[in-house]
Amino acid sequence: MATSFQSPKGTRDFYPQDMAVRRYVEDTWRKVSIRHGFVEVDGPTFEFLDLYKIKSGDEIVSQLFHFEGRADKEGRAEHYALRPEFTPTLARMVAAKASSLPRPIKWFSLPRCYRGEAPQKGRGREFGQWNVDILGGDTPEARRQFDLESAALCLDGLRELGLTKDEVVLLWNDRSLVEHLFAIVGVPAERYPFAFYLLDRIAKLSPEQRRQLYTQNALTENETAFFEKLAAGQDPLTDAFWADLPHADVEAYRKPILDATASINAALAAMGFDGWARYDASIVRGLAYYTGFVFEIAASAGDLRAVAGGGRYDKLVEMFGGPSLGATGFGMGDMVLSVLLQEKNKLPKQLLPAPDVFIVNALDTPAAAQKLLAALRASTFNADRTAIARPGLIAITSYKASKNIGKLLQDASASGAKLAIILAPAEFERGVVKLKNLATREEKEIPLASILEEVHGALR
Ligand code: HAM
């Protein structure tokens, strides 16, 4: 009896059309990264489990797919995990070779990542990510520049895919500013890690879950009132937020934000992204390694999860045994992005490659057609020496037994090919073939000897 299987929960099968979308997105990410001066890297798909335990944040660690390797002679086995993200791998790689890498280090990668999350719209258990990171920067100014360059590159990737500032927004915050905020309401410094964790999740927690967390962590009345205001979506930049909440000097929080807003907006505008970014007090990022500027990309409308997220993580390389090295970057997932591009109708109509040439073979044997296919696939053509040489044509033929040229031409048209070359016995004897433009239906006889020039000419 046959046994049928489905793909595991949260994974995707990439049929040709899906794969074409994936490649289009990846090719765009790669092109945009290169144009900003980044070079591509990759690492292993699985790492030692401990690499993620050090500093990735509890949530991501609880979502790891992990396994034991083969035991050695003493019966000891290593514990591994499929990578849930690329940043720990990158920090490990940089730490290992930090002294020999040219600075700033500008790396991008397109890893596939694995998280045991509950699948939902735009979130799965295996996904592709665009990672971009800049490491180095000796001064605060240089590091700020890197933060903004990585944010601008993230936006450039989205704009290259056709999205506009009406459709996506970069929401930013700064963990050091959030610490100011905590200080104003009297959150003790030792509770900051919990406070960041809570703030990151607060919009997703039920009132009951929030109450439990407040009790477990012995929050004061004032702290509880503060988090409840944030949970209700109130904005700490407004006076209303503070009206009934005992607090220290709010200006110590407000002024740096207004200053940063002005300088970030001006810098992004200079880079071509005027009006694409906004301060958002609720963005703190769940991953524990962030130390300063943080941002997420959100779709302006609808219920989609974040398209991208990133920020500054100045301690991670050192934590993995490298030098103290400033670092900033982001990750963008392919799943939520594909949903968004589909919803906004931004995907190019024709993503699957169409053949340039379809050979209609009405000869008795396949030999001549195969020889011509090989010549077309190997051919490059640069007649006027100015045009870019075409890198070999996409050439296919039919494998049907039928020698009926009309029927075979129907197959040629159905394949989406631009041209058909018809190999018919009588003409072929005379050393000629027919070249047919499948869009205009025009047809002409060509000496076989000059078919490559004719084909390239017709495709120009
Ligand atoms: P992250 O916020 O965990 O950050 O993930 C970045 C992006 O990856 C998300 O915005 C989302 O698009 C995508 N993503 C995350 N989880 C899933 C999932 N389960 N299914 C589909 N897509 C998902 C990081 O991963 C950081 N390492 C980014 C970074 C790089 N920070 C500095 N450099």
Side-chain angles (χ1 to χ4, degrees), residues 85-87 115 117 122-124 127 129 131-133 285 287 289-290 306-311 313 329-333 335-336:
E85 54 160 339
F86 190 67
T87 310
R115 298 186 192 179
E117 256 187 79
R123 286 287 184 276
F127 56 96
Q129 230 191 25
N131 273 260
V132 171
D133 292 273
R285 311 275 300 128
L287 298 164
Y289 47 66
Y290 292 112
V307 180
Y313 52 103
F330 68 86
M332 184 184 295
M335 285 185 81
V336 69

Side-chain angles (χ1 to χ4, degrees), residues 360-362 398 400-411:
V360 168
N361 182 21
S398 120
K400 285 203 175 137
S402 168
K403 300 294 166 216
N404 181 319
I405 290 175
K407 278 209 180 112
L408 293 175
L409 275 171
Q410 283 173 11
D411 289 351

Side-chain angles (χ1 to χ4, degrees), residues 284-335:
V284 291
R285 311 275 300 128
L287 298 164
Y289 47 66
Y290 292 112
T291 54
F293 178 74
V294 285
F295 71 93
E296 284 186 7
I297 301 284
S300 305
D303 56 352
L304 278 179
R305 297 266 308 262
V307 180
R312 175 154 289 282
Y313 52 103
D314 283 347
K315 301 270 162 26
L316 202 59
V317 174
E318 208 175 344
M319 216 172 277
F320 289 157
S324 163
L325 191 61
T328 189
F330 68 86
M332 184 184 295
D334 68 340
M335 285 185 81

